[in-house]
Amino acid sequence: RPRGGDFCYTGEELQEMGRQIEVAAAAGADGVVFGALTHDAKIEQQQVKRLIDLSHSLDLRTTFHRAFDAVDRPEEALDELIQLGIDRILTSGVAWGKSGTAMDGGTMLNQYIQQNAGRTEIVIGGGVSPENAPLILKEFQPWKGTLSVHAYSGVMENGNTTEKKVRELVEAVSPW
């Protein structure tokens, strides 16, 4: 993201996102994460498609970030993103700006996973930790396709990401 705040970007910010994608590719990244919405909380289709195409031309996988949780109609947005060619969608299942974690968003996450039917990868994020990841994942069986988890604070100790916590998360989700 070129800045914090909402997910409605100016033309200059979208150009900067494109430059950042090129820098990531040149540095050896295998994927990028981005998202853009209109002022009425819909996918900014033209710009997102441009970023997807640029990323794919550079052999980068694409993830639409938690701007997905801020869309007005997530069921429609999921299908739109798949049609645009996104590789992954990051979501907590909780509306953006509301408190809660993926544990709270289970009903919506399950709805997205079932609707998705394996067409793209769903990445579950928002308060995921080694302790709760198995509890979250067991709510979605059976499913088609690929699910993954995204952890930030759930793999931190004393404010730092630790190898120990990352290994614990990997072990916790490996049976799935």
Side-chain angles (χ1 to χ4, degrees):
R1 294 174 59 185
R3 61 166 168 75
D6 68 20
F7 302 106
C8 303
Y9 300 111
T10 66
E12 293 81 21
E13 289 170 326
L14 289 160
Q15 292 296 323
E16 178 61 24
M17 290 167 75
R19 285 189 292 276
Q20 290 174 352
I21 288 168
E22 291 170 343
V23 168
D30 63 0
V32 290
V33 181
F34 56 81
L37 303 179
T38 64
H39 289 287
D40 59 349
K42 298 197 180 342
I43 303 296
E44 176 56 79
Q45 288 191 17
Q46 183 179 14
Q47 296 300 328
V48 169
K49 179 65 173 158
R50 184 182 68 78
L51 294 173
I52 290 170
D53 289 347
L54 171 62
S55 301
H56 287 169
S57 76
L58 298 168
D59 293 323
L60 296 171
R61 291 193 60 201
T62 55
T63 302
F64 195 86
H65 60 46
R66 288 200 49 211
F68 181 81
D69 291 334
V71 297
D72 182 43
R73 297 178 184 261
E75 298 85 1
E76 291 175 16
L78 186 133
D79 288 332
E80 289 173 17
L81 288 168
I82 291 168
Q83 290 172 0
L84 292 172
I86 203 78
D87 298 306
R88 307 167 83 204
I89 299 171
L90 173 61
T91 178
S92 70
V94 176
W96 188 257
K98 304 280 185 192
S99 64
T101 68
M103 291 286 293
D104 303 304
T107 299
M108 291 307 297
L109 286 168
N110 196 44
Q111 182 177 330
Y112 303 152
I113 290 164
Q114 299 311 315
Q115 176 186 342
N116 178 52
R119 296 178 291 162
T120 194
E121 183 175 344
I122 302 292
V123 182
I124 300 165
V128 175
S129 69
E131 296 76 26
N132 69 18
L135 300 172
I136 294 168
L137 290 174
K138 82 175 189 182
E139 296 297 316
F140 311 127
Q141 290 195 335
W143 70 73
K144 293 181 181 176
T146 304
L147 291 181
S148 56
V149 295
H150 171 274
Y152 172 66
S153 60
V155 291
M156 295 179 105
E157 292 180 321
N158 301 318
N160 295 305
T161 300
T162 67
E163 182 178 342
K164 174 185 168 243
K165 293 294 277 187
V166 171
R167 286 188 189 284
E168 288 174 8
L169 180 62
V170 170
E171 289 173 17
V173 300
S174 64
W176 305 99

